[in-house]
Amino acid sequence: MTLQIKSYSEYKKVYKNSVDNPEKFWAAQARTFTWMKKWDEVVEWDFKKPDVKWFVGGKLNITENCLDRHLKRSGNKTALIWEPNDPSQPYKTYTYNELYEAVCQCANMLKANGIKKGDRVCFYMPMVPELTIGVLACARIGAVHSVVFAGFSATALADRIKDSECKMVICSDYNFRGGKIIPVKEVVDDALKQRCKSVETVIVHQNSGDKVKMKKNRDKWWHDEVPRRRKTCPAVEMDSEDMLFILYTSGSTGKPKGVVHTCGGYMVYTCFTFKNVFQYQKGDVYWCTADIGWITGHSYIIYGPLLAGATTMMFEGVPTYPDAGRFWHICEKHRVNQFYTAPTAIRALMAQGDKWPSHYDLSSIKTLGSVGEPINEEAWNWYNEKIGKGKAPIVDTWWQTETGGIMISPLPGLHKVKPCYAMLPMPGVQPCLVDADGKEIRKKEAEGLLCIKYPWPSMIRTTYGDHERCRQVYFSAFEDKYFTGDGARRDKQGMYRIIGRVDDVINVSGHRIGTAEVENAINEHPQVIESAVVGYPHDIKGQGIYAYVITEGEIADPVAFKKSVHEVVTKVIGPIAKPDKIQIVPGLPKTRSGKIMRRILRKVASGDMDNLGDVSTLLNPQIVDSIKSSKDEAV
Ligand code: WT7
């Protein structure tokens, strides 16, 4: 069984071993899994290229470890609980046996439709069990899944389908979200009109039953294709370094990149961190509220929990439907033991008042998790007092799409936690802080750029189709280090606090959005000449999107203009990237080489106008005063 650390002194011992002798440490963890062939080398790495391989030469199938391995002893244990959007509808459960059969049937459907090992399959679906089943079915036959969050637009979906040349899309007819019903199949149809030549088949899961158009010879119903298949399907032998999935994420420049994760290391790391960070005990019900369209859902709704043989829950809906007590109602209803959510949700629910959690019995909760963005002290305290009743430790988990699993986190109950601190590196994780010159800061108490100086099993291997981009973004800033893009502080005890991104990535409600992407979208508006986008502090979302826009001619009605910009951004990216504020400006502050000085724009957007620093080196210093004085006109 995967190691579960039980005390702080044990953590210290294990951590030291994991750094002194990483190969021995990870080999011991890897041995607790089922391998078709044992690895020859634990790790081979070179951050310069980068080239990272874990459990080299090992053969396995991750679904054999998520499913088959548990059947003998825990076949009748609940693997998955699904709570629907509408609380008056029945919830569903799958035992490990049932999930195994469902995954095998779906895997056989994939094969019957021509999907082979290495083919990419795109998912564009709501949070329904079929999404988990489909993802695991891909892994079963060695197909690579690429899940796209169903809030992205047709154009964004098409970009992702094209980038990885997906052969199949699996979607639903409609999605339910709160009181809304969203025509997802229509979005897929729109996307596929945008030159997605690789797609041969679309499998449509019937979620609402309302009519949708089905294209002959391309579109097939899930209910026609899946249930008639055999309930067993051999797990394909995968190399440890074969691709498991692609997940697109935003960076500071260019289009979203496809982060690639591979089989062996990802399996070992997600299971290990799940068991330790949540201190999952047999029989516990674990609930992560993330969407499977993000890495949190991949690693800590599907893979980590199932590898550990846990009961994991999926929720189709939103925190405020039918009312702001929904999360707490679900916790009471399913006697949730570990609850994992994002600060933005905590802040939004906190704003609805204490009466909501007070209506429900939350006594089952043992551990509370936070992820995705820095958690502010007020939200931390509310979470601690009103949800955990001061008895459930909070784990503020820091990690990224690229890290595959949780990197820095408290271990609940094993030590005192400092509010808002992510605290301790996981065993095997070697973080460091570097200064602007790239020198590692040795002093314990320090602030700097967060890097990782040794490989860990679930780290990014490449960016799909563009290895050079992976090298450039993550491995070129500092020699022999992975650069996270985050700034962090370390206290006297060596505990970490994450400050946030130091690059041009904005974190809106825990979603990562690249400023360049939003600018490109805004620039498609016919009246826009140029734009610059920055983040600014936002009470609920953590960061909001602030856009400075140069327009062609006068804008008579700024509110109507904002609406039209929203329409363009929604079309190009999706509603999550809509600017919260738009300020029309006559020009943008630029350096002599033509670079936009975002530092100044960030300060103005945050209302921090007195301290703009030296602007004299700008090409157009006079523009700063003009931007400052028209800030109140932002809509
Ligand atoms: C960025 C990664 C993997 C989790 C979901 C987001 C920020 C994440 C924390 C935290 C402060 C955090 C960082 C990171 N972030 N967790 N506990 N405290 N900031 O994954 O979309 O890849 O975003 O989210 O800035 O770089 P992601």
Side-chain angles (χ1 to χ4, degrees):
M1 273 231 286
T2 307
L3 171 70
Q4 193 170 47
I5 297 166
K6 283 285 157 219
S7 68
Y8 188 48
S9 57
E10 187 187 355
Y11 163 79
K12 284 194 279 198
K13 215 174 80 196
V14 170
Y15 185 77
K16 187 169 183 309
N17 284 340
S18 77
V19 171
D20 291 347
N21 202 336
E23 301 196 15
K24 200 168 148 207
F25 172 76
W26 287 117
Q29 299 318 311
R31 266 197 292 277
T32 65
F33 295 86
T34 303
W35 293 81
M36 294 164 171
K37 177 185 164 285
K38 206 190 153 206
W39 57 91
D40 307 311
E41 294 293 331
V42 177
V43 59
E44 276 174 14
W45 65 290
D46 175 357
F47 275 2
K48 284 192 180 53
K49 284 185 180 152
D51 181 16
V52 175
K53 294 192 183 85
W54 279 89
F55 311 111
V56 188
K59 306 283 179 193
L60 75 151
N61 187 291
I62 196 166
T63 69
E64 202 171 48
N65 286 280
C66 288
L67 300 169
D68 311 44
R69 181 164 75 114
H70 305 309
L71 296 187
K72 223 174 171 179
R73 270 198 287 153
S74 320
N76 292 323
K77 180 183 167 157
T78 304
L80 184 67
I81 304 174
W82 176 74
E83 172 69 24
N85 178 57
D86 177 353
S88 69
Q89 295 296 311
Y91 65 91
K92 273 192 211 161
T93 63
Y94 289 74
T95 64
Y96 272 92
N97 278 326
E98 289 163 344
L99 188 60
Y100 166 84
E101 291 184 350
V103 168
C104 286
Q105 282 187 317
C106 184
N108 286 323
M109 177 282 283
L110 293 173
K111 287 202 283 193
N113 281 283
I115 301 297
K116 291 189 283 297
K117 181 174 171 176
D119 288 343
R120 277 80 57 208
V121 175
C122 176
F123 289 84
Y124 188 76
M125 279 179 97
M127 288 286 287
V128 291
E130 287 73 13
L131 175 54
T132 297
I133 290 164
V135 159
L136 291 168
C138 285
R140 186 103 186 146
I141 63 162
V144 175
H145 53 81
S146 168
V147 183
V148 176
F149 175 60
F152 281 117
S153 69
T155 306
L157 173 62
D159 285 345
R160 288 157 176 77
I161 291 173
K162 280 185 277 195
D163 185 73
S164 49
E165 299 177 297
C166 295
K167 210 165 154 184
M168 179 187 270
V169 177
I170 304 188
C171 67
S172 56
D173 52 357
Y174 291 87
N175 288 2
F176 297 107
R177 276 180 75 73
K180 282 190 265 185
I181 172 155
I182 301 150
V184 188
K185 170 64 165 56
E186 232 174 83
V187 179
V188 173
D189 288 340
D190 276 358
L192 296 187
K193 280 185 199 132
Q194 301 177 30
R195 294 184 308 279
C196 293
K197 292 194 207 95
S198 56
V199 176
E200 291 169 7
T201 317
V202 177
I203 302 289
V204 186
H205 172 253
Q206 191 172 42
N207 202 27
S208 95
D210 282 4
K211 269 215 164 70
V212 289
K213 279 201 207 99
M214 297 290 274
K215 189 169 168 186
K216 228 180 140 199
N217 298 328
R218 185 194 73 184
D219 301 351
K220 299 176 181 179
W221 288 108
W222 176 289
H223 57 256
D224 290 336
E225 281 296 313
V226 180
R228 63 190 166 99
R229 309 289 169 187
R230 286 186 52 165
K231 291 179 178 171
T232 57
C233 174
V236 164
E237 183 177 289
M238 300 291 281
D239 188 88
S240 189
E241 284 301 329
D242 276 341
M243 214 183 291
L244 176 63
F245 66 85
I246 302 168
L247 188 56
Y248 286 86
T249 192
S250 297
S252 46
T253 56
K255 287 200 167 181
K257 45 190 179 273
V259 170
V260 169
H261 285 289
T262 58
C263 297
Y266 180 82
M267 169 178 80
V268 173
Y269 195 80
T270 52
C271 182
F272 177 79
T273 46
F274 172 75
K275 277 192 83 166
N276 284 282
V277 170
F278 299 101
Q279 289 289 312
Y280 184 86
Q281 303 298 319
K282 218 173 147 191
D284 285 350
V285 173
Y286 161 89
W287 179 25
C288 167
T289 70
D291 192 286
I292 290 172
W294 312 110
I295 190 70
T296 310
H298 282 60
S299 301
Y300 299 109
I301 294 177
I302 302 181
Y303 288 111
L306 294 176
L307 286 162
T311 299
T312 182
M313 186 154 71
M314 280 175 82
F315 172 43
E316 184 184 29
V318 296
T320 47
Y321 180 81
D323 58 45
R326 187 68 194 277
F327 272 6
W328 322 127
H329 183 203
I330 296 174
C331 285
E332 175 185 279
K333 177 171 166 188
H334 295 286
R335 305 298 297 156
V336 170
N337 301 107
Q338 289 88 12
F339 177 73
Y340 192 26
T341 197
T344 189
I346 300 168
R347 285 190 297 264
L349 295 175
M350 179 171 79
Q352 304 284 322
D354 298 348
K355 71 166 194 225
W356 294 106
S358 73
H359 282 327
Y360 299 99
D361 174 8
L362 301 177
S363 61
S364 57
I365 295 176
K366 296 194 281 191
T367 303
L368 292 171
S370 171
V371 63
E373 43 171 330
I375 180 166
N376 52 308
E377 201 142 341
E378 200 191 347
W380 197 97
N381 288 329
W382 187 81
Y383 202 29
N384 182 42
E385 285 158 28
K386 302 296 178 230
I387 310 305
K389 320 284 177 198
K391 286 187 303 214
I394 295 176
V395 289
D396 177 7
T397 63
W398 174 82
W399 57 298
Q400 310 177 296
T401 305
E402 295 86 344
T403 70
I406 295 168
M407 300 290 278
I408 305 183
S409 169
L411 293 174
L414 308 196
H415 56 86
K416 263 225 190 83
V417 168
K418 236 170 133 168
C420 310
Y421 269 68
M423 306 289 290
L424 302 165
M426 288 294 104
V429 172
Q430 300 187 32
C432 64
L433 298 177
V434 299
D435 62 22
D437 304 325
K439 274 233 298 289
E440 185 176 343
I441 309 171
R442 300 280 168 183
K443 217 176 91 203
K444 241 193 191 156
E445 199 176 1
E447 192 175 311
L449 302 169
L450 182 62
C451 292
I452 317 285
K453 55 184 180 179
Y454 191 85
W456 64 101
S458 64
M459 72 186 289
I460 178 173
R461 297 303 195 266
T462 189
T463 42
Y464 191 84
D466 192 352
H467 193 62
E468 171 55 19
R469 188 166 178 201
C470 173
R471 188 194 68 78
Q472 204 260 326
V473 173
Y474 306 104
F475 298 92
S476 70
F478 307 110
E479 206 183 349
D480 282 330
K481 290 179 185 71
Y482 165 85
F483 176 44
T484 64
D486 281 311
R489 195 171 301 152
R490 189 166 56 207
D491 73 4
K492 280 194 218 81
Q493 280 79 43
M495 303 295 174
Y496 286 87
R497 177 179 188 152
I498 310 301
I499 299 165
R501 304 291 304 198
V502 296
D503 54 8
D504 292 322
V505 169
I506 326 183
N507 195 325
V508 184
S509 304
H511 300 322
R512 221 163 121 171
I513 296 173
T515 50
E517 259 176 278
V518 184
E519 287 163 7
N520 289 339
I522 295 174
N523 295 350
E524 287 199 14
H525 189 289
Q527 279 167 293
V528 171
I529 295 173
E530 200 184 357
S531 63
V533 164
V534 295
Y536 72 103
H538 187 288
D539 284 349
I540 302 286
K541 299 178 176 182
Q543 278 189 302
I545 300 177
Y546 198 111
Y548 297 90
V549 181
I550 306 174
T551 59
E552 207 172 286
E554 264 322 276
I555 297 293
D557 183 349
V559 176
F561 174 69
K562 182 180 182 182
K563 206 171 146 237
S564 63
V565 169
H566 279 184
E567 280 163 15
V568 174
V569 172
T570 301
K571 185 165 165 283
V572 178
I573 306 174
I576 55 172
K578 287 191 297 200
D580 297 278
K581 286 233 183 292
I582 294 181
Q583 182 177 345
I584 297 167
V585 293
L588 294 165
K590 287 191 179 170
T591 62
R592 285 181 202 281
S593 59
K595 243 184 87 183
I596 297 171
M597 285 285 269
R598 278 169 219 279
R599 177 178 59 82
I600 292 169
L601 296 176
R602 269 196 289 269
K603 288 217 161 165
V604 175
S606 334
D608 180 12
M609 310 253 235
D610 302 331
N611 232 325
L612 296 183
D614 184 14
V615 299
S616 65
T617 58
L618 290 178
L619 189 65
N620 50 352
Q622 74 293 345
I623 202 75
V624 177
D625 283 332
S626 146
I627 291 177
K628 270 163 68 175
S629 62
S630 64
K631 179 168 193 258
D632 291 343
E633 288 158 29
V635 285

